[in-house]
Amino acid sequence: MKYRMAIAAALFPVVAWAWPWSTDMMDQPSIKPQEGEMTPFPKRSIPVGTERIDDSGMLMTEVANREEAKPLTSPLPLTPANLAKGKALFRIYCGACHGLTGKADSPVSPKIGAIPLVDDYVQKTLTEGWIWGTITFGSYIMPAYGDPKARDDGRGANDLSIEERWLVVNYVRHQLAKDAAAEPTKTAAAQ
Ligand code: HEC
């Protein structure tokens, strides 16, 4: 008897209500797209290419990758205080690889292929947004300094805040080359 029923179910699947176009599974209590309340966006995410101040007063300029960051421009004014902060951060976060004055003359620069940041390529060809994006997401060898995905609490492993990254960009583009010109290149240290 059981055997016969199995054959019947196989031959006439309508008995099992399983026609491919059956929508039974869709009619259930779960929330469908555009229904109910919208899930809040993950912490620190905002629409691409816009800037706003978040609840804690921090300047937000979050994008998904370096390409999206390209058209951004620094939202921070070039005050002497901001440039001084950018310089301090640069010496802590960038100097080890790119040299304290960005001339790629630190002992590790040639070993890992860190490029000079005082050349036209970085000073003129790259956009401010691309440099900010490079600091945020890293490059090929260069590590990321602001990728919010790097840690559960939303801070990158070696993080600079959004604002700090712009301070570094301001310094790189508006004072680094002047500081570098004032100091001799340390060729001896490059080996
Ligand atoms: C651990 C070493 C290291 C540190 C620290 C580092 N960089 Fe780099 N950076 C590199 C290397 C190596 C390259 C070249 C290869 C690459 O693109 O990854 C590079 C490339 C760059 C580029 C060029 C990107 C491009 O598109 O060609 C910029 C701009 C830059 N770094 C800026 C910075 C700034 C600003 C900091 C400080 C926040 C910094 N780097 C910290 C290693 C480093």
Side-chain angles (χ1 to χ4, degrees):
M1 186 64 188
K2 267 186 188 166
Y3 179 67
R4 267 190 223 161
M5 275 175 73
I7 292 182
L11 289 176
F12 307 101
V14 68
V15 175
W17 297 107
W19 293 106
W21 53 85
S22 164
T23 55
D24 285 3
M25 291 294 277
M26 268 163 65
D27 299 328
Q28 46 155 311
S30 68
I31 299 170
K32 299 182 185 66
Q34 314 295 336
E35 268 185 11
E37 264 186 44
M38 219 173 117
T39 331
F41 287 114
K43 223 174 125 209
R44 296 177 77 188
S45 59
I46 64 157
V48 170
T50 55
E51 282 149 16
R52 68 181 175 88
I53 306 292
D54 79 354
D55 300 341
S56 65
M58 184 159 78
L59 182 70
M60 305 289 287
T61 332
E62 206 56 271
V63 289
N65 53 46
R66 216 166 25 155
E67 205 53 53
E68 287 182 5
K70 208 171 175 178
L72 299 176
T73 50
S74 172
L76 299 178
L78 295 170
T79 57
N82 276 351
L83 287 170
K85 282 186 212 160
K87 180 173 183 169
L89 291 168
F90 181 89
R91 292 172 76 87
I92 295 167
Y93 285 89
C94 323
C97 292
H98 291 282
L100 289 177
T101 46
K103 288 192 277 192
D105 56 356
S106 89
V108 297
S109 309
K111 294 192 173 74
I112 59 163
I115 59 166
L117 303 180
V118 289
D119 290 359
D120 278 359
Y121 172 61
V122 173
Q123 293 297 318
K124 298 195 177 127
T125 313
L126 299 183
T127 63
E128 285 185 352
W130 183 266
I131 300 173
W132 183 88
T134 300
I135 304 170
T136 304
F137 301 103
S139 189
Y140 303 102
I141 298 170
M142 181 170 148
Y145 289 95
D147 188 345
K149 293 184 293 302
R151 264 174 39 171
D152 289 346
D153 62 1
R155 295 281 283 182
N158 206 355
D159 218 355
L160 284 163
S161 73
I162 293 165
E163 195 169 4
E164 286 168 336
R165 279 172 261 154
W166 281 122
L167 289 169
V168 173
V169 173
N170 278 3
Y171 174 70
V172 167
R173 285 297 276 264
H174 298 279
Q175 201 189 312
L176 180 67
K178 291 177 203 155
D179 285 354
E183 259 188 57
T185 308
K186 290 175 262 155
T187 39
Q191 297 313 309

